[in-house]
Structures are given as C-alpha cells and as structure tokens.
Amino acid sequence: MTIRYKRVLLKLSGEALMGNDAFGINRTTIMGIVKQIVEIAQMGVEVGVVVGGGNLFRGVAAQASDMDRATADYMGMLATVMNALALKDAFESLGQPARVQSALSMQQIAETYARPKAIQYLEEGKVVIFAAGTGNPFFTTDTAAALRGAEMNCDIMLKATNVDGVYTADPKKDASATRYQDITFDEAIVKNLKVMDATALALCRERKLNIVVFGIAKEGALKRVVRGEDEGTLVHV
Ligand code: UDP
C-alpha cells in the first residue's frame, strides 16, 4: 500500500468534535474521527494532532462581552485541553496508544510539551495530541498546528474542516462554486481563501509545510489523503 505522507500533523477544530450538537463533545462524532486516525496509524503513518477549543470556549467571543482578552484566551486554551483528554480517551478505548502534551504545564493531567519526547512518541507509533495551542494568548490553534507541524518535521499539515476542500466561493452560498484540486499559498493568500488563519499560513509557507484541506466527516477521507489520492485541496509552495 502506498503512503504519500509518513508523518502528518492533523488539525482538528473544536467544532469538528460537536457533530450536530450546538456545543460540547459528541462521543459518536469523536469516535468516528478517532477510528479514521487509528486506521492511518495502523498503516504506519505517524500522527500528531492539534485540537482546537471552539466547541467549548473562544477567546474572541468572550472579549466581545467585555472580558479581558488574555484571560479569555487562557480559558480557550484550557478548552483545548479538555478536548485533548476526550480524544486520548477515545484512542485508548480502541487500543491505540496516545499521549497528550500540553503547551501549558498541568502535570497532574498531561505531560508538558517537550519536543524530543513528542518525536520519540511519534517514532514509537503513538498518537501525540498537542493541547493548549501555542501556550500564548492572541494566537490560535491553527498557528499551533503550523508550529508543531514544523517542529515535528511533518511531511504535511492536514486541516480537517466541515467542507471537503477549498472552493472558489462559499459552496453553501454559491451553487456554482468548485473545489480546487490544488492551489499555491500565494494564490490562496491573494484570493483570500479561508485555508487557515494568516499567521498559520505564513508559517507553513515559510517552512514549506504544504497543507491538505479536507472534510473529515466523509468516511475514509483521511486514509485517501495520506495515500495521496484526489481528496480535498492541496495548498502548496
Ligand atoms: N488560544 C490561544 N492561544 C493559542 C491557541 C488557542 O489563546 O495558541 C485560545 C483562543 O482563545 C481560541 C481558543 O483558545 O479562541 C480556542 O482555539 P481555536 O479558536 O483556535 O479553536 P478552533 O477554532 O480550532 O476550535
């Protein structure tokens, strides 16, 4: 079986864990996603996961209601830790070894991020879940994903979304919108296409870390992406 990407960084938004719920963590949804990840791990792909927290708390939204932004962002980072623990639990329920490494120290519940240890886990076939984003307010988990992807020397960044790729226009609003099979970073930036936030995109481009944007809800999608099949949109240098 051919594998295009040996080591991947998967960015899961918090919203991907909600399923059709309005809030929180949907166990059936999380199990569906985790099964797809286990499938590629069993194919020999090394997987790092950066998980968001938007299903529980978002700093920007709290700022709108007059909260101090940095405090709100730390709360957002804590939300990602909850999601990371839920993911770890789901992996272990399927017999897949997984470790949580948090950018903020909270040693009773997760290891603190340490690059050599994370690389060691990846080499051992353990899924590494990176929690608490970058550990700094005013950043996003997209940027954390770019950072960890670069640090882990990943072959590709996989950005899981609700849409199955990058489109010429919003497919929910414009029926004539078509999916890009591939697009350059420059085109994505000039056309202001929503791939990842600007900081994340700049870091990926600078590190030549290409991105595949794909829909994780579709069964088997992740497997097709790591095999290099026509799935999602490849954003490349
Ligand atoms: N956050 C932060 N620094 C980081 C990553 C995340 O302050 O490096 C906070 C920020 O408040 C953000 C929240 O954590 O709104 C949840 O992350 P994000 O919005 O990226 O999650 P997603 O949209 O992927 O669910």
Side-chain angles (χ1 to χ4, degrees), residues 11 13-14 52-54 57-59 73 76-77 133-134 136-141:
K11 163 70 208 297
S13 71
F57 197 87
R58 243 185 237 286
D73 277 342
M77 286 183 256
T134 64
N136 300 291
F138 314 117
F139 286 95
T140 63
T141 51

Side-chain angles (χ1 to χ4, degrees), residues 73-191:
D73 277 342
Y74 279 111
M75 291 172 70
M77 286 183 256
L78 292 177
T80 72
V81 178
M82 293 211 271
N83 285 334
L85 293 178
L87 280 170
K88 178 175 193 282
D89 178 85
F91 279 115
E92 286 173 347
S93 76
L94 297 176
Q96 168 66 47
R99 296 285 184 273
V100 177
Q101 287 209 343
S102 171
L104 295 172
S105 294
M106 42 184 93
Q107 57 190 11
Q108 282 80 2
I109 52 173
E111 291 176 30
T112 303
Y113 173 67
R115 180 172 182 262
K117 197 81 193 165
I119 291 176
Q120 183 195 318
Y121 289 148
L122 291 175
E123 286 168 349
E124 289 168 356
K126 298 182 174 91
V127 172
V128 183
I129 306 157
F130 298 104
T134 64
N136 300 291
F138 314 117
F139 286 95
T140 63
T141 51
D142 271 6
T143 300
L147 185 63
R148 296 294 182 243
E151 282 188 274
M152 294 298 116
N153 304 317
C154 287
D155 300 317
I156 192 88
M157 158 84 69
L158 306 178
K159 161 100 175 165
T161 62
N162 297 328
V163 191
D164 66 346
V166 180
Y167 278 73
T168 49
D170 185 346
K172 282 177 191 141
K173 290 180 193 150
D174 185 348
S176 67
T178 52
R179 173 173 65 93
Y180 289 102
Q181 221 170 2
D182 73 289
I183 185 169
T184 63
F185 278 101
D186 291 344
E187 267 180 284
I189 291 165
V190 169
K191 293 185 174 144

Side-chain angles (χ1 to χ4, degrees), residues 215-234:
I216 191 109
K218 199 159 124 193
E219 216 184 301
L222 184 57
K223 186 173 59 187
R224 282 192 294 279
V225 170
V226 297
R227 281 182 179 162
E229 292 172 17
D230 177 25
E231 185 69 49
T233 299
L234 174 67

Side-chain angles (χ1 to χ4, degrees), residues 15 17-23 26 29:
E15 276 157 7
L17 309 182
M18 288 192 317
N20 291 326
D21 300 345
F23 175 82
N26 182 296
T29 303

